[in-house]
Structure formats: structure tokens, C-alpha cells
Amino acid sequence: MIKWLWSIPLAPLAGFAILALAGILSRRVIATIAVGLSGVSLAAATAAGIAFVLQPPPGHVCEQALGWWLQVGGLAIPFGLHLDALSLVFTLTVAGVGFAIVLYSTCFMTSSEGYGRFFACMSLFLASMQILVLADNLLLLYLGWEGVGLCSYLLIGFWYSDPGNGRAAQKAFLMTRIGDAALLVGLLLLFAQLGTLGIQPLQSRARELWPAGSTLPTFAAFLILAGAVGKSAQLPLQTWLPDAMAGPTPVSALIHAATMVTAGVYLVARMNVLFTLAPAAMDAVVWLGTATLLLASLAAMAQRDIKRILAYSTMGQIGYMFLALGVGAWSAGIYHFLTHALFKGALFLGAGMVIMALNDEHDIFQMGGLRRRLPGIYRAMLLAALTLASLPPFTLTFNSKDLVLRDVWMSDRGGPLLWALGTAGAFLTAFYTFRLIFVVFFGPVRTEPALLLMTGADGAAPFKHVKPVVNLTGGMRAVASGVFLRVLMGIAGTEPSGKTSRIMSLPLSILAWAGALAGVAELFSVLGGREGFYRFLELTLPPLTPKRSTGGIYLLQAVSVLVSLAGLGTAYAFYLGKAGMSERLARIPGAGCILQFAHNGFGFDAVYNLLFVRPFDWIARANARDMLDWCLERPAAAAQAGNRLLVLTQSGKLRWYAMGVAAGTIILIALMEWL
């Protein structure tokens, strides 16, 4: 089935073409096309993954040529698809999470205008992301890179009637454009120096021609890192991501939590040879990731908007991925990407259902007591929160964040300081995660769910007024009503009555449980001495170079458990304890200013406005009529003046016209004689 690799990006691309060009379609048809073709992409990716594992291709790499970008003289630039362990993990994650969120969106977006436009953009995004992770050369990768950036802009500003949404979309586009421009310069530099854009040949030549630590690989790696930092919302280009929550919640779940913002992680991991040749760039990856995870976690503790909390959490968890990649723990970083995509997607979907039930309320301090009103959503979000915070029993399945910290401790590029900073981030993660859970689902009820019809102790039928646009008919009905999914949804508590609620709850349940259980395979591999996820990724990525003994792994695991429990306990004391610690803390002189500073993202926006936006705006206004405008306007002004002079000759008097003709004739004869 690997020969059908091209169908993975082609299916959602066909969905985009149909939805964008077909004209007016019913919502049922639009939803069927979007869900069906994203399902085809998932099926193709799954089949390719099974074939790759059961019948590995030579060298554990499958390449599929598609055509040529350019053939001029001696210059020939081909393009095709490249499947290895790294790209397989990403393509399966994108296809799986994408399918779940597209299915969820068919009901979430049913009351919004622009239904077809939304799913056309979502389909284009899935196609672009698949092109990005499957590309065999940097030019095709850059095409997918720009495609996901375009879709991000379109979907952040999807509700464009609100000017704030348009500003958020513009901000995201401009901030990521800084990194994209640096990335493009880096690609041109690599092509000029190495003569190819093929990812594998390029890195082979770089290893042969460039000594480690030399200027060229370091400069190229920093340019590529700038692109990764912009797309993955890391310091100092991180300010766009919290504002991107202006888009619909499914967009936040898919693009700004699970997939697009991790494109920078994929790029750094894919170019691992180049970064290994640039130790200074690797150090930059480490410290940018560490600083981002700490600052983002502190900012998340001060947010009130439920989606902005999750946005800052995403920034922090990607910081862990960068930290892992920077110390050479490539497999740990990608493992954390996989689990994060699952549990963070579930948290966003649950947050979307809470917001929808409360009539678009985003402020967590206007919520409260929802564990009885929305029991299924509460259980699913609690499951995902436990995974995010690395709390038992899921820490015992080798939670990916704990593996990152373990590898940071053992790596020859890591050490106790980085481990301590990462562990502090784990405490903050547990605190802000359960701050959200405790405030939203415990305590007194502050806002009654307006879209709930209580049916008894077994739960409710949320969103019953919303008509589903996708019916679970035929095979889908058989699957959805199967014993396995009923048990799964029952355990998670997300099986309320009503077709619409079930369609939205099914992706939530699957993502929550998949994220929680993603560490089981690695647990069995560690305990049983078998080949696990790490070893699979090491078919493509370099193994970790340990500096310290692995004998203390269980002690490190115990420390992680205690730190996460301390974060949970602190959140409980602040927001559910009887002492009212959060209120007393807010009354301390200066505490309000500090909280507001953290709430505003530590002033990065204010600094950027002061240093870049306002000076540029002033220069633009002062130079509104610049030299270029003057050069373009002068010929137009001369033409207008000539026109006014010629108008004076049109007097309407025939004797003047005859005199003019005679004078002109005399002048012409004189000129001919003179010349």
C-alpha cells in the first residue's frame, strides 16, 4: 500500500478543490465530502504505516517520485514523497487527529455562516500539512509550509465580521512571515552552497563538506531555526499564538495545538544532520525551548480565557519538544509531539463544547460546577489533563514529558540545570492545568448551561437544538454503535443522548484515551526489553548520546510524580481550599500588577509595538507622499496640464480653427524647407 502514498495529500486536496469550486452545496453534502476525503487520507496513511512496519522497505525508507519542478539546461529539480519513521509518525498523527476534528467540526460549525468555506480551508490545510511532512526536498516542504500558513491566516480570521479577528489573523501572518523569510534565505543558501534541495542528499553533502562548528552550517541552521521558531510560536516570535484563539475552536485544536505549530519541531528534527554540525544552533534550540516553556507556563497561570490557557500551554509543551531536540533527545521530542497532539486536541475539543454550552462564555471564572452539568466532558477533559500534567496512573506508562526530562538529565548536552528548569516547568504545568479543571468543573455554579436539557442522573443531552449535518448511517452507524466504542465512550463518560452530541463526543473520547495510553507501548518495551517507539524512530533519527548512567531512571520518575502532585495540590489549595489563598494573594500589594504583567504575556506585545510597530507606522505616515509617489504623479500632472492647455483651443469659433490650420501648414512648410 506504500505505492499509494500520493493519495494521502491528494484526498484532502481534492476535497478542497471540490468545496472551493463546486458552488453552492448543502451542508450535508459539504460535511460528507470533508469527512469522507479526510477519512480516505487516514485510511491511506494507516495502510502505508502497516505496510511500512510489517514489510519494511529497503533501508526503512520509501521514496516516490512525482515529477520535476524545473528542467532548464543542466538544472533539474525533481520533487516527490519520502516516507521514513519520522514522516510516518507525523503523517499518521496529522491524518488521525485531522479526521477526528473534521468530524467534530461538522456539528460545531453547523450554526456558522461560511460552512463550505470553512471545510475547504480545513481540507487545504490537511493537504498542505501532509505535503510538508512527506516532502523529499526542501522546495516541496516550503510549499506545504506556506500552505499551512495561508490556511492559518484564513481560519483565524474566519469570522471576519469582527475586526479583532482580522487583526489576530494579520498578526499571525506577519509574525510567522518573519520566520518564513529567514527560512527561505536559508534554503537559498543551502542550494547555493550544496547544489541540491533534496533533504537526504543535502545533509549527506553537508556532512562531507562542512566541518562541525564551521560558519556555513551554523548560519544555515540559525536561518532554519528562525523559520521553526516563527511557525512553532517560540521566543521571541510567540506573541501571535494566544491571539490566534480568535478562530473557531476546531481550528485551535487542529492547527494551533496539534499539527501546524509543531511544523517547526518537524523541520528541526528532519534537518538533524545540519543542526548536529552547528553546536551553537543546538544550544539556541535548547535555551529558546527552555525559556518558552517557563514563560508560557507562568503566563498560562494568569489567564482567564479557557482557550488562551490552552494556547500558552501549547507554547510551553512545544518548548519541551525544542528542549529535547536541542540536547539530542530526538526520539523523546517526537514522542512528546505525538502524545501532545492527542491530549491537547482533546482539551480543545472539550473546551469548545463547554464554550458552546455556556453561550460563548470564555472566562473560566464565569464557569464553575460543571462536572454535574457536563459530566462526560468533565471526565474526558480530566483524563487529558492528567496526561498533560504527567500524573498517576498515566505517569507509570512512561509519560512523554517525563521521558524528555529523563533524556535531558542523561544527555551529554543536557545536565542537572536543564533538568531542574524542565522539572519546574512540570510543576507549573500541573498547577495551571488543574487550575482550569478546578475552576471550570468544581465550586459553585456561576453560569447555567443554556444549551442543556437535563435528563436525569445519567447526564444530559447537550446541544440538542443543533441539527447534525452528518448522520451515522450504514457502516459508520455500525461502527459508532459497536461494543468497543460504547465501552470507550462509557468509560470516558461522554455518551450523552442525541446524535449531535455523540458525533462531537466520539472524537473527544478517542483523543483523550489515545493520549493517555500512548505511553503503554514504550512501557512494555522498557519492561520487556523489546523494540519500542524510541527504537522505531531511531531508524531515522540519531540515538541519544548518554553522559550519565540510566540507573536513576526510576528515581527521576518518582521526582516527576512528586513535582506534578505538588502542582496539583497547590492548585487545589489556591482554588478549592477553604482558606481563599488566591483571593488573599491578589490582595498583596503589587501582586495585581505582576498578574496583569503575566496575563499580558510579559509585555512582549508592548515592546514590539514600541520598537517596531509605532516607528514603522510613523515613518509610513510621514513618508506617505514619498519620492516614488512623486515620480509616478509628475507625468500624470503634466498630462493634466497639457489637457487644460488643449482645452483652451476648443473655442467653437470656425475662423480660429481655420487660422490654426493655416498657421500649422505654414509652419510645416517652413520646417520642411529649413531641414
Side-chain angles (χ1 to χ4, degrees):
M1 291 302 295
I2 298 181
K3 66 180 181 180
W4 297 97
L5 194 61
W6 52 267
S7 64
I8 298 175
L10 183 63
L13 186 61
F16 162 73
I18 294 170
L19 295 175
L21 303 176
I24 299 176
L25 298 173
S26 69
R27 298 198 172 203
R28 188 181 302 275
V29 172
I30 292 170
T32 301
I33 292 171
V35 173
L37 289 176
S38 63
V40 169
S41 180
L42 174 59
T46 304
I50 293 172
F52 187 92
V53 173
L54 297 182
Q55 297 178 336
H60 297 280
V61 173
C62 174
E63 294 186 341
Q64 191 173 86
L66 298 180
W68 297 86
W69 282 109
L70 189 64
Q71 284 181 298
V72 178
L75 177 62
I77 304 178
F79 70 93
L81 303 180
H82 176 96
L83 185 70
D84 57 16
L86 176 62
S87 55
L88 179 59
V89 171
F90 271 81
T91 194
L92 283 172
T93 304
V94 172
V97 176
F99 175 77
I101 294 176
V102 167
L103 178 62
Y104 173 95
S105 303
T106 58
C107 291
F108 187 90
M109 299 298 296
T110 189
S111 60
S112 296
E113 297 181 0
Y115 197 74
R117 175 167 56 90
F118 176 83
F119 284 102
C121 292
M122 291 286 275
S123 298
L124 179 60
F125 168 79
L126 290 174
S128 299
M129 193 69 196
Q130 294 289 9
I131 290 172
L132 190 159
V133 301
L134 289 172
D136 70 342
N137 69 81
L138 291 173
L139 187 59
L140 186 60
L141 183 149
Y142 192 72
L143 175 65
W145 188 274
E146 291 298 316
V148 297
L150 170 64
C151 294
S152 175
Y153 168 78
L154 294 174
L155 288 167
I156 293 172
F158 179 77
W159 289 318
Y160 56 83
S161 58
D162 184 348
N165 295 342
R167 288 192 294 271
Q170 291 175 5
K171 181 178 181 180
F173 188 80
L174 292 173
M175 292 293 290
T176 56
R177 182 61 47 196
I178 297 170
D180 295 352
L183 175 60
L184 180 58
V185 174
L187 301 190
L188 294 175
L189 172 64
L190 290 172
F191 181 75
Q193 295 296 322
L194 301 175
T196 181
L197 286 175
I199 295 174
Q200 307 310 316
L202 184 147
Q203 298 199 88
S204 297
R205 294 183 189 180
R207 187 187 287 112
E208 295 171 0
L209 300 176
W210 290 341
S214 58
T215 302
L216 283 175
T218 301
F219 189 42
F222 269 105
L223 289 171
I224 291 175
L225 176 60
V229 163
K231 196 69 78 180
S232 291
Q234 298 293 284
L235 287 169
L237 301 178
Q238 84 287 2
T239 59
W240 66 270
L241 185 58
D243 291 347
M245 297 302 104
T249 300
V251 174
S252 304
L254 178 61
I255 297 182
H256 303 124
T259 52
M260 187 200 83
V261 290
T262 56
V265 176
Y266 174 80
L267 181 62
V268 174
R270 176 56 72 195
M271 302 299 293
N272 62 84
V273 173
L274 180 65
F275 277 88
T276 302
L277 294 173
M282 290 285 281
D283 291 339
V285 174
V286 168
W287 290 106
L288 286 177
T290 304
T292 303
L293 76 89
L294 291 174
L295 287 179
S297 298
L298 289 170
M301 294 167 57
Q303 303 303 309
R304 299 176 64 96
D305 187 310
I306 187 171
K307 289 177 64 178
R308 288 179 71 90
I309 295 172
L310 296 177
Y312 277 107
S313 172
T314 297
M315 290 165 51
Q317 298 310 302
I318 296 175
Y320 275 108
M321 300 175 207
F322 270 71
L323 171 60
L325 299 181
V327 300
W330 306 96
S331 298
I334 303 307
Y335 192 24
H336 193 47
F337 150 76
L338 172 62
T339 59
H340 175 264
L342 298 170
F343 64 68
K344 188 56 66 64
L347 285 170
F348 265 106
L349 296 189
M353 295 178 78
V354 169
I355 292 169
M356 192 176 186
L358 300 182
N359 274 338
D360 204 35
E361 179 60 67
H362 287 241
D363 189 342
I364 61 172
F365 291 100
Q366 297 301 319
M367 303 176 186
L370 295 181
R371 72 184 188 279
R372 293 189 178 89
R373 268 67 172 179
L374 301 170
I377 299 171
Y378 159 66
R379 293 171 192 170
M381 290 189 69
L382 177 62
L383 185 63
L386 287 168
T387 314
L388 169 59
S390 302
L391 285 166
F394 304 109
T395 300
L396 302 182
T397 62
F398 280 78
N399 185 281
S400 56
K401 185 165 58 185
D402 295 335
L403 290 177
V404 167
L405 294 176
R406 182 202 69 178
D407 287 356
V408 167
W409 174 273
M410 294 192 308
S411 170
D412 60 345
R413 301 187 61 85
L417 175 60
L418 288 172
W419 175 84
L421 294 175
T423 302
F427 172 86
L428 299 176
T429 298
F431 180 88
Y432 70 67
T433 300
F434 280 89
R435 170 181 178 264
L436 184 154
I437 295 295
F438 291 149
V439 173
V440 172
F441 293 103
F442 289 81
V445 176
R446 300 179 183 88
T447 303
E448 283 288 350
L451 305 185
L452 271 174
L453 177 63
M454 298 303 292
T455 58
D458 59 341
F463 326 124
K464 200 165 185 178
H465 75 297
V466 181
K467 295 182 179 179
V469 294
V470 173
N471 285 329
L472 300 177
T473 59
M476 289 183 67
R477 182 184 295 276
V479 172
S481 61
V483 175
F484 171 71
L485 289 181
R486 282 187 176 275
V487 171
L488 179 68
M489 295 169 69
I491 293 174
T494 55
E495 191 179 5
S497 59
K499 293 179 180 178
T500 300
S501 180
R502 185 169 302 182
I503 291 173
M504 296 178 73
S505 298
L506 179 61
L508 172 61
S509 303
I510 292 176
L511 291 179
W513 275 103
L517 300 178
V520 172
E522 194 61 26
L523 173 66
F524 288 157
S525 70
V526 171
L527 297 180
R530 298 182 179 181
E531 296 289 321
F533 188 77
Y534 264 40
R535 297 298 171 265
F536 177 71
L537 283 174
E538 286 171 2
L539 296 172
T540 300
L541 298 172
L544 176 71
T545 304
K547 182 179 180 180
R548 295 166 183 82
S549 171
T550 60
I553 178 176
Y554 296 107
L555 177 60
L556 294 176
Q557 194 82 356
V559 172
S560 295
V561 171
L562 293 175
V563 168
S564 297
L565 287 174
L568 183 151
T570 305
Y572 180 88
F574 268 73
Y575 295 99
L576 288 185
K578 296 181 180 179
M581 291 181 64
S582 60
E583 290 81 0
R584 288 193 296 172
L585 179 64
R587 289 195 293 269
I588 296 176
C593 295
I594 296 173
L595 288 174
Q596 187 63 37
F597 185 54
H599 179 271
N600 293 336
F602 296 98
F604 277 89
D605 278 322
V607 171
Y608 292 159
N609 283 334
L610 180 64
L611 295 181
F612 302 109
V613 177
R614 291 183 181 176
F616 183 84
D617 183 67
W618 181 86
I619 292 171
R621 293 179 184 276
N623 198 35
R625 304 187 63 81
D626 57 16
M627 182 59 68
L628 181 60
D629 286 342
W630 186 88
C631 293
L632 294 175
E633 290 172 357
R634 289 311 94 192
Q640 291 175 348
N643 177 70
R644 286 192 292 269
L645 290 174
L646 291 174
V647 166
L648 297 177
T649 66
Q650 304 299 310
S651 63
K653 298 178 179 180
L654 290 177
R655 70 181 72 180
W656 282 99
Y657 295 163
M659 184 184 299
V661 171
T665 303
I666 294 170
I667 292 171
L668 286 175
I669 293 173
L671 288 173
M672 291 173 62
E673 289 294 331
W674 181 68
L675 294 175

